[in-house]
Amino acid sequence: MEPSSRPDSGPAAPDAAPLPAAGPTLGAAAHGAMRAKVLVTACVDFRFADRLVDWLRAQGLQGQYDLRTHEGASVAVDRWLDSAVAINRLHDVEAIWIVDHEDCGAYRLAGEPNTRENHVQYLKLAQARVQAWIGKPVRIFYHPLGPDGRGAPILEEIG
């Protein structure tokens, strides 16, 4: 992990090309029905995917959310933020949700402690970063393991 993207040093500038400029969305104005209630960014881990989708549907969002995945969701915010900006421009999302999960291999690969507390730090950093770039409400969640070693049926919202 680069020192500039650690939680104790504040948000880092993206390493890649500049993000697309915020501007008018293409979806709602050009296509009417192309509006998503929520853009969800979660980790790719297969152990959590089905339970996450079930939970999103239980939130009343069936057919009303964009779901994008990236390994390590919050710890990798600078690697997916430009995509979130583009999705927002396409679908004029109402809010963005970021979901981390217990026992994340991407945290291990990044040399980060895989503790709930460290996930919360990175989730809050990602929340601030996404809010600053996109300007939409951002909610953050932690997905614990269930008793079967897969995602639990309920996610914990981090306040």
Side-chain angles (χ1 to χ4, degrees):
M1 163 107 346
E2 297 136 17
S4 63
S5 60
R6 295 187 54 83
D8 55 342
S9 64
D15 295 333
L19 297 174
T25 59
L26 303 176
H31 302 290
M34 293 296 293
R35 183 158 194 184
K37 282 192 174 183
V38 178
L39 165 58
V40 180
T41 296
C43 189
V44 301
D45 194 315
F46 68 93
R47 298 173 297 165
F48 294 84
D50 291 336
R51 299 273 169 76
L52 175 62
V53 169
D54 291 344
W55 180 80
L56 289 167
R57 290 177 176 165
Q59 304 307 301
L61 293 172
Q62 185 166 344
Q64 299 179 62
Y65 63 89
D66 286 324
L67 176 60
R68 69 157 334 277
T69 59
H70 197 290
E71 63 280 0
S74 70
V75 78
V77 66
D78 287 337
R79 293 193 293 273
W80 57 259
L81 189 50
D82 60 338
S83 174
V85 169
I87 292 167
N88 178 56
R89 290 186 68 202
L90 290 169
H91 294 163
D92 190 26
V93 300
E94 293 177 20
I96 297 152
W97 295 0
I98 306 168
V99 181
D100 267 14
H101 67 81
E102 185 175 3
D103 189 37
C104 183
Y107 270 70
R108 284 191 296 279
L109 288 174
E112 287 295 325
N114 206 354
T115 63
R116 181 190 172 284
E117 294 75 23
N118 200 41
H119 280 273
V120 168
Q121 280 188 303
Y122 271 97
L123 281 163
K124 288 180 177 181
L125 174 67
Q127 180 181 39
R129 191 110 167 82
V130 171
Q131 177 70 45
W133 276 98
I134 299 177
K136 299 281 177 96
V138 179
R139 293 171 64 187
I140 52 177
F141 300 87
Y142 184 72
H143 197 167
L145 281 168
D148 62 357
R150 294 192 174 271
I154 304 291
L155 280 67
E156 172 193 356
E157 184 163 9
I158 305 300

